[in-house]
């Protein structure tokens, strides 16, 4: 967990103390309060802008320490280009980059004056700005022994304690921030789970953590190995059989509305050694993040419950550790999945699809979902195709695919659709069983997706998100410096909000 700064919203008065952040649009055109402060300091801001060549561009700032004629210890003037053309993502990113100005520097309270005008910075924009700031402030410091805690904050880190946002309509911003805060918490939970090392977070420990959701009204059911066996989830169990740590599955139900649920399934391989088809040593430590799909599902369930979303969602995660060992599955083994279909295990490192196959089947049998979406760090090949900016999207349904893609564009958690088809499906036909768990050298992400599709019933809208490139070992962004990005929580929140939630007209009006 990180030492998050407390955020509050106050009216648009010029701040009287603390560190101050002011804005300028392209030009530079100072915002009204920045102008007032410029005047009261006899043109300090405009002079500083001129001398430094500051034009109000995004990602540019002037940092004034002990500005003469003003009582603030520090004043930062930040460029925001053209806020009138900002989208949701731009407000998030601005919040993130502004937050970065105040990390590890003197002072513990910063006053941010967002007076770009009420029609420019709406309450939702202000809340998104605050969310971006919170997400950027995340740090995984749990195992830094020198960061001794004092009053909940790390003593050797002069991190920010309070963010006060001055805005046009603080009451409305506080209201809008209720769901933004839920999102910040959901993403933080997902990041924490992904960052946690696998000696600490095994299948049982992960399952145990989901119990915290019950406090928010989520129904949590944990299936142990005996229960999984009884259900016939032998493909999932086969993956975990080489580990001393027993496999689990967790079913989380948030019933904020009636009607058929949307089911979200996550791959939760708490560590993926590859099993008997052992992975090379270099970089294997990254495989502690092979549960990022499951982490996203837990973060999302938290988020939905915290903001009391009027939506019916079931989260299902399969939790296993993929280890070599005396009891481990062997290449060539044949297992019977819960669906009754048999799988020839050609490579024990293609384990995620075995776990998901059973979870997807269980989800359809039990809940008759109106749509089912799974997230998995499924293949290295998806990074070969798309790099680390887009996650792979596979779907049997154009409408579902479109909804997810748009949600990705709005939130900045982007998806790129890749193909499925009968020719690809043939790649996983097996000589001895109904299917094999690898499809050969080429198109590895596609044959993995084809494998999953064999566990989808005709008529169930389904989408698979391959998040191997986006959820872990993440590239730095304005709103994330953590190894585990928490990818998918904001995306699925937006997807559910826009299409499955009883919004009573409020959220619908916000859609762009
Ligand atoms: N968990 C890995 C995929 C992965 C690789 C995620 C790198 C994140 C970063 C998955 O279980 C796996 O090992 N996939 C194999 C499949 C192959 C054996 C058919 C892969 O991608 O090489
Ligand atoms: Mn693997
Ligand atoms: Zn894996």
């Amino acid at each position: 967990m990180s030492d998050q700064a407390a955020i509050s919203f106050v009216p648009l008065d010029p701040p009287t103390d603390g560190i101050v952040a002011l804005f300028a649009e392209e030009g530079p055109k100072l915002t009204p309060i920045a102008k007032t402060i410029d005047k009261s300091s006899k043109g300090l801001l405009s002079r500083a802008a001129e001398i430094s060549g500051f034009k109000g561009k995004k990602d540019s700032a002037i940092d004034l320490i002990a500005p003469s004629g003003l009582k603030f210890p520090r004043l930062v003037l930040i460029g925001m280009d053209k806020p009138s053309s900002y989208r949701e993502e731009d407000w998030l990113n601005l919040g993130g980059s502004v937050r970065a100005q105040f990390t590890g520097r003197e002072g513990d309270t910063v006053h941010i004056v967002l007076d770009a005008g009420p029609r420019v910075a709406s309450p939702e924009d202000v809340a998104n700005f605050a969310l971006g700031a919170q997400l950027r402030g995340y740090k995984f410091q749990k195992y830094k022994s020198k960061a001794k805690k004092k009053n909940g904050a790390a003593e050797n880190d002069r991190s920010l304690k309070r963010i006060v946002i001055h805005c046009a309509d603080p009451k409305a911003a506080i209201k809008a921030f209720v769901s933004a805060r839920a999102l910040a918490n959901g993403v933080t939970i997902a990041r924490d789970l992904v960052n946690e090392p696998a000696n600490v977070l095994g299948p049982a420990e992960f399952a145990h953590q989901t119990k915290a959701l019950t406090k928010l009204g989520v129904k949590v059911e944990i299936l142990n190995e005996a229960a999984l066996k009884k259900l016939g989830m032998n493909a999932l169990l086969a993956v975990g059989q080489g580990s001393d740590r027993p496999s689990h599955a967790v079913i989380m139900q948030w019933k904020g509305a009636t009607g058929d649920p949307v089911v979200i399934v996550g791959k939760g391989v708490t560590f993926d050694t590859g099993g008997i088809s052992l992975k090379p040593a270099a970089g294997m430590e990254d495989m502690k993040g092979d549960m990022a799909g499951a982490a996203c599902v837990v973060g999302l369930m938290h988020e939905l419950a915290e903001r009391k979303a009027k939506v019916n969602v079931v989260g299902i995660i399969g939790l296993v550790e993929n280890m070599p060992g005396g009891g481990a599955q062997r290449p060539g083994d044949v297992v019977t999945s819960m669906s009754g279909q048999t799988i020839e295990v050609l490579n024990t490192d293609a384990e995620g699809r075995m776990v998901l196959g059973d979870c997807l089947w269980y989800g359809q049998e039990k809940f008759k979902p109106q749509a089912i979406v799974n997230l998995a760090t499924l293949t290295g090949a998806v990074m070969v195709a798309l790099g680390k900016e887009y996650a792979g999207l596979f779907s049997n349904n154009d409408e579902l695919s479109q909804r997810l893609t748009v949600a990705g564009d709005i939130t900045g958690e982007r998806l790129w659709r890749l193909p499925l088809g009968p020719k690809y499906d043939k790649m996983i036909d097996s000589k001895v069983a109904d299917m094999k768990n690898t499809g050969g050298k080429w198109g590895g992400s596609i044959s993995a997706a084809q494998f999953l599709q064999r566990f989808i019933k005709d008529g169930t809208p389904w989408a698979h998100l391959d998040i191997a490139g986006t959820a872990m070992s993440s590239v730095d962004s304005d709103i994330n410096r953590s190894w585990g990005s928490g990818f998918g929580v904001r995306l699925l929140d937006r997807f559910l909000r826009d299409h499955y939630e009883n919004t009573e007209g409020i959220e619908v009006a916000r859609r762009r």
Side-chain angles (χ1 to χ4, degrees):
M1 262 292 221
S2 49
D3 307 309
Q4 280 296 6
I7 294 201
S8 53
F9 302 90
V10 301
L12 269 185
D13 305 321
T16 53
D17 58 2
I19 298 174
V20 171
L22 303 171
F23 293 93
E25 297 185 25
E26 197 181 34
K29 179 175 165 240
L30 300 181
T31 65
I33 288 187
K35 244 185 230 152
T36 313
I37 292 181
D38 189 40
K39 274 202 196 112
S40 65
S41 63
K42 302 200 178 79
L44 180 67
L45 296 187
S46 13
R47 243 182 310 130
E50 201 178 315
I51 293 165
S52 63
F54 173 83
K55 296 273 187 298
K57 289 254 180 279
K58 218 171 160 183
D59 295 319
S60 72
I62 354 181
D63 200 342
L64 302 171
I65 306 291
S68 73
L70 295 169
K71 44 190 177 301
F72 319 119
R74 184 177 166 213
L75 187 155
V76 187
L77 181 64
I78 295 162
M80 64 193 320
D81 269 337
K82 283 200 196 78
S84 55
S85 64
Y86 272 19
R87 294 156 26 110
E88 180 170 318
E89 197 190 351
D90 299 306
W91 287 107
L92 275 167
N93 288 340
L94 183 70
S97 66
V98 169
R99 174 69 182 81
Q101 296 275 350
F102 303 104
T103 295
R105 311 266 185 92
E106 275 71 17
D108 52 25
T109 300
V110 57
H111 289 263
I112 299 172
V113 186
L114 259 185
D115 60 339
R119 263 175 300 120
V120 176
S122 73
E124 284 76 22
D125 297 334
V126 174
N128 274 316
F129 175 93
L131 171 59
Q134 289 294 67
L135 293 176
R136 179 61 179 265
Y138 175 93
K139 264 191 220 152
F140 186 70
Q141 308 200 8
K142 194 175 164 191
Y143 298 105
K144 290 286 194 188
S145 62
K146 283 186 185 145
K148 293 267 157 47
K149 301 282 154 135
K150 192 181 165 191
N151 304 328
E155 214 177 40
N156 66 349
D157 176 31
R158 286 178 294 189
S159 59
L160 203 56
K161 312 231 172 8
R162 258 162 36 92
I163 297 174
V164 182
I165 298 181
H166 299 240
C167 56
D169 189 346
K171 263 202 189 128
I174 289 166
K175 222 170 141 204
F177 190 62
V178 170
S179 25
R181 188 196 298 114
L183 271 170
N185 290 335
V187 174
T188 297
I189 286 167
R191 286 180 182 174
D192 278 344
L193 286 166
V194 176
N195 288 328
E196 192 70 58
N199 60 327
V200 177
L201 193 77
E205 294 82 7
F206 194 129
H208 180 77
Q209 286 219 15
T210 63
K211 282 191 193 158
L213 292 169
T214 35
K215 277 196 285 271
L216 296 173
V218 178
K219 187 175 158 205
V220 177
E221 186 188 356
I222 299 178
L223 305 177
N224 61 15
E225 286 199 339
L228 294 167
K229 182 121 217 171
K230 211 161 149 202
L231 285 162
M233 294 173 83
N234 298 315
L236 183 154
L237 286 167
V239 175
Q241 75 187 35
S243 169
D244 289 339
R245 306 163 98 176
S247 302
H248 291 77
V250 185
I251 327 299
M252 294 155 277
Q253 297 182 57
W254 171 252
K255 205 156 187 223
T258 52
D260 292 339
V262 175
V263 170
I264 315 282
V265 176
K267 169 179 173 181
V269 177
T270 57
F271 196 79
D272 181 13
T273 64
I276 296 300
S277 315
L278 193 63
K279 284 184 182 295
M284 203 204 274
E285 65 277 10
D286 280 359
M287 287 302 119
K288 73 171 185 178
D290 208 17
M291 29 53 74
C296 169
V297 175
V298 175
L300 177 71
M301 297 309 292
H302 174 99
E303 186 269 330
L304 295 172
E306 182 183 329
R307 72 176 175 85
K308 300 190 173 63
K310 294 193 174 90
V311 66
N312 186 6
V313 175
V314 178
I316 301 176
I317 56 178
L319 301 168
V320 300
E321 187 180 51
N322 188 21
M323 296 287 276
Q329 63 173 342
R330 293 146 291 257
D333 283 5
V334 174
V335 299
T336 304
S337 66
M338 184 186 177
S339 71
Q341 302 176 97
T342 56
I343 301 162
E344 184 189 11
V345 183
L346 286 190
N347 189 322
T348 64
D349 197 12
E351 84 297 340
R353 61 198 77 182
M354 297 177 66
V355 174
L356 290 169
D358 274 344
C359 291
L360 288 167
W361 191 260
Y362 177 90
Q364 292 164 96
E365 284 281 286
K366 186 97 193 232
F367 298 105
K368 310 264 170 305
Q370 54 171 313
I372 189 163
V373 178
N374 73 262
L375 303 99
T377 48
L378 202 64
T379 64
V382 81
M383 287 182 264
V384 177
L386 300 176
K388 296 176 74 77
E389 295 298 335
Y390 280 74
L393 161 66
F394 299 85
S395 181
N396 62 0
N397 184 293
D398 291 345
E399 186 184 42
L400 177 61
S401 182
Q402 183 65 16
R403 288 176 173 183
L404 286 161
T405 302
V406 170
D409 286 339
I410 294 173
T411 56
E413 296 194 321
R414 294 203 166 76
L415 304 174
W416 196 264
R417 193 175 184 182
L418 295 167
L420 291 165
K423 293 255 168 72
Y424 290 117
D425 184 68
K426 259 175 91 82
M427 290 166 75
I428 53 167
D429 283 340
S430 157
K431 285 213 170 82
V432 299
D434 296 333
M435 69 192 93
K436 54 190 184 185
N437 76 334
T438 57
K441 190 170 175 187
W442 305 112
S445 300
I446 305 175
S447 52
Q450 292 293 165
F451 184 99
L452 299 184
Q453 195 176 11
R454 291 209 185 189
F455 297 86
I456 300 301
K457 299 181 181 188
D458 282 346
T460 307
W462 157 75
H464 153 54
L465 313 182
D466 194 333
I467 59 171
T470 52
M472 45 185 265
S473 186
S474 321
V475 287
D476 283 350
S477 75
D478 282 343
I479 57 167
N480 182 48
R481 295 296 152 117
S482 157
W483 185 82
S485 64
F487 185 94
V489 177
R490 291 187 303 108
L491 166 79
L492 292 179
D493 165 73
R494 172 53 64 186
F495 161 74
L496 292 166
R497 219 183 251 262
D498 281 354
H499 303 288
Y500 303 90
E501 205 162 323
N502 294 335
T503 49
E504 289 157 348
I506 304 163
E507 296 293 340
V508 178
R510 284 183 49 207
R511 251 187 252 159
R512 290 156 220 241

